[in-house]
Amino acid sequence: MKILHIITSLELGGAEKLLTELLPAQKKLGHDVELMILSDIDAVFKKDLEEKGIEIYISKYNSKKSPLNIFEINKKIKRENYDIVHVHLVHAQYWTRMARLLDDNKNRKYLTTEHSTSNRRRSNKILGMIDKFIFNGYDEIVSISHATENSLYDWVGGEKEKYAVIPNGIDLSIFENSVAVPRDELGMEKEDVILMMVSRFHQSKNQKGAAEALEYLSERYKMIFVGDGILEEDVKSYVNGKKLESRVKFLGKRKDIPKLLKTADIIIQFSFFEGFGMTAVEGMASGKPVIASDVPGLADVVEGGGIICPNDSKELAEVILSLEDKKLYDHTVEMCLRKSKKYSIENSAEEYIKLYREILER
């Protein structure tokens, strides 16, 4: 099978990170897999994919917003004659849907994966009508969780038979077998309890609320934020205003996430909304107790493994304190490891290949 994935960019994000493992796994199953990106600005995952043998084509316009991408996408698809075109994230979804109008090959199938339960477009009726046209032009609409599917179906409707759920996957072995970064390299003492949140600083996350939980915890509790984004400075200002700077570290973008997760004592994913929660799975696979906010998508992933918590800083602190009970801590670790097995990249890759075959046979 000849497969082209198209994504807006390879910036730091859950969908982008997924492709670094999904595409090589699909290739390992014996398929011809390539990737097209609309922009390579801040493409933190590009080198990783190339090292895994994935050919990456960058739109010559190098802009996610350019309508000329329509013609570039169409030209690429026709020239290489792919069987499956698999699209991720909004700009790629829009331009590829339009490019399909120029494709006269009725045997070629187009599908898209929705990675989030919410976005700013869903408060605009005009954009709602546009989204209905865009999404209903795909042969299959995949969601990464049932919460994501329900939210999207409520928004764009369409044929329910065209909807499917395939959870994200990760290479579990990377996180299970990683070696921790020494605590002193992170400026941490032996007696410190390291709380860690790995997320971009975005409106969907809640690093500020996670930092606020420190106000209800003793000085030995420290918070490490990994990632960057438009709200990073806002969170730093909050931390400084609350005089928590000695207890909070901002590491920015890091390539050694598996090692960092192994160093942490507790992993926190304190989101306002989340389509899936990839870093929560990574934390569970690392053998750490994961605390996740009780929001659709994320709660589905963590429930039965880690601990679900209301999006309230004081209650987050109480859950953190409950893990001082060694029996509860060890039990939570065991349950997290068990739940993470459900989300192997091999399972995800095989499910997608199975779906591609079903679509092609329709």
Side-chain angles (χ1 to χ4, degrees):
M1 205 181 311
K2 196 166 185 180
I3 305 160
L4 176 67
H5 287 265
I6 304 177
I7 193 167
T8 302
S9 71
L10 288 173
E11 297 177 10
L12 188 65
E16 297 86 344
K17 180 67 171 68
L18 170 67
L19 295 199
T20 67
E21 296 179 351
L22 178 63
L23 273 60
Q26 289 185 336
K27 187 173 182 178
K28 193 173 180 180
L29 291 172
H31 302 279
D32 185 352
V33 184
E34 296 179 3
L35 174 65
M36 181 177 184
I37 59 176
L38 306 184
S39 168
D40 71 346
I41 297 170
D42 294 326
V44 296
F45 295 119
K46 183 170 178 285
K47 185 178 178 183
D48 189 4
L49 272 166
E50 288 174 334
E51 288 175 349
K52 292 176 179 177
I54 301 299
E55 185 175 336
I56 300 174
Y57 178 81
I58 305 164
S59 171
K60 70 179 182 180
Y61 303 105
N62 204 18
S63 167
K64 62 185 180 181
K65 294 184 178 181
S66 173
L68 294 174
N69 284 313
I70 295 169
F71 305 103
E72 189 75 354
I73 291 168
N74 179 253
K75 184 171 70 175
K76 171 72 172 167
I77 290 170
K78 284 185 173 180
R79 184 174 65 241
E80 301 295 338
N81 195 27
Y82 299 98
D83 301 302
I84 291 288
V85 179
H86 187 165
V87 189
H88 311 261
L89 302 184
V90 61
H91 293 91
Q93 288 168 334
Y94 271 49
W95 301 140
T96 304
R97 168 66 180 103
M98 300 306 293
R100 186 179 192 180
L101 297 175
L102 306 175
D103 187 2
D104 53 6
N105 184 343
K106 303 305 178 184
N107 294 320
R108 189 171 8 257
K109 301 300 181 181
Y110 289 72
L111 73 154
T112 186
T113 295
E114 180 64 16
H115 294 269
S116 180
T117 55
S118 180
N119 57 58
R120 287 176 291 182
R121 300 192 312 283
R122 297 188 190 179
S123 60
N124 186 306
K125 290 184 178 179
I126 294 174
L127 290 178
M129 290 187 288
I130 295 172
D131 274 4
K132 285 180 183 180
F133 169 76
I134 295 297
F135 279 93
N136 288 303
Y138 286 96
D139 296 295
E140 192 80 14
I141 303 169
V142 181
S143 297
I144 59 175
S145 67
H146 289 288
T148 304
E149 179 184 71
N150 294 338
S151 176
L152 183 63
Y153 185 76
D154 288 344
W155 178 240
V156 300
E159 301 172 43
K160 194 67 175 177
E161 299 76 22
K162 288 172 56 174
Y163 282 77
V165 174
I166 298 179
N168 287 345
I170 64 170
D171 184 343
L172 296 172
S173 65
I174 292 175
F175 297 91
E176 291 170 350
N177 302 324
S178 190
V179 177
V181 175
R183 295 168 77 92
D184 58 354
E185 286 187 18
L186 300 175
M188 296 291 163
E189 303 294 334
K190 184 178 179 180
E191 63 272 14
D192 289 335
V193 179
I194 302 175
L195 313 174
M196 186 174 291
M197 182 167 172
V198 181
S199 288
R200 59 196 170 118
F201 287 80
H202 182 264
Q203 62 181 0
S204 62
K205 315 301 178 183
N206 187 14
Q207 284 94 343
K208 191 181 291 186
E212 185 183 355
L214 292 175
E215 297 188 60
Y216 305 100
L217 299 167
S218 67
E219 291 283 332
R220 71 191 187 98
Y221 283 91
K222 306 290 167 57
M223 178 72 71
I224 294 179
F225 291 121
V226 185
D228 64 0
I230 56 173
L231 296 180
E232 184 175 1
E233 291 304 317
D234 182 51
V235 177
K236 285 181 177 178
S237 296
Y238 174 82
V239 167
N240 291 337
K242 293 290 185 178
K243 302 190 185 308
L244 294 169
E245 58 267 36
S246 65
R247 299 172 63 192
V248 180
K249 288 192 176 294
F250 296 83
L251 299 188
K253 288 182 185 177
R254 295 282 293 238
K255 284 286 191 179
D256 56 348
I257 301 298
K259 293 181 178 180
L260 289 170
L261 291 172
K262 280 288 189 182
T263 307
D265 295 299
I266 299 169
I267 308 299
I268 295 168
Q269 193 65 27
F270 207 51
S271 304
F272 288 122
F273 59 89
E274 194 83 55
F276 184 77
M278 185 77 81
T279 54
V281 176
E282 293 172 348
M284 291 192 294
S286 299
K288 303 294 176 176
V290 171
I291 303 172
S293 50
D294 190 7
V295 295
L298 178 59
D300 295 340
V301 168
V302 176
E303 193 169 19
I307 302 174
I308 307 301
C309 172
N311 211 305
D312 177 90
S313 300
K314 188 173 183 180
E315 293 204 43
L316 173 60
E318 290 173 0
V319 174
I320 290 168
L321 285 172
S322 74
L323 289 171
E324 289 188 350
D325 180 335
K326 191 175 186 308
K327 283 188 177 180
L328 176 61
Y329 185 98
D330 291 344
H331 175 71
T332 306
V333 166
E334 181 184 345
M335 297 303 292
C336 282
L337 282 168
R338 189 178 300 176
K339 184 69 184 284
S340 71
K341 303 298 183 188
K342 180 179 177 181
Y343 301 109
S344 74
I345 194 61
E346 291 81 9
N347 286 346
S348 185
E350 288 170 3
E351 284 293 308
Y352 271 116
I353 295 300
K354 180 182 176 184
L355 180 61
Y356 297 162
R357 289 197 176 107
E358 289 175 1
I359 297 170
L360 288 169
E361 289 171 4
R362 287 176 187 168

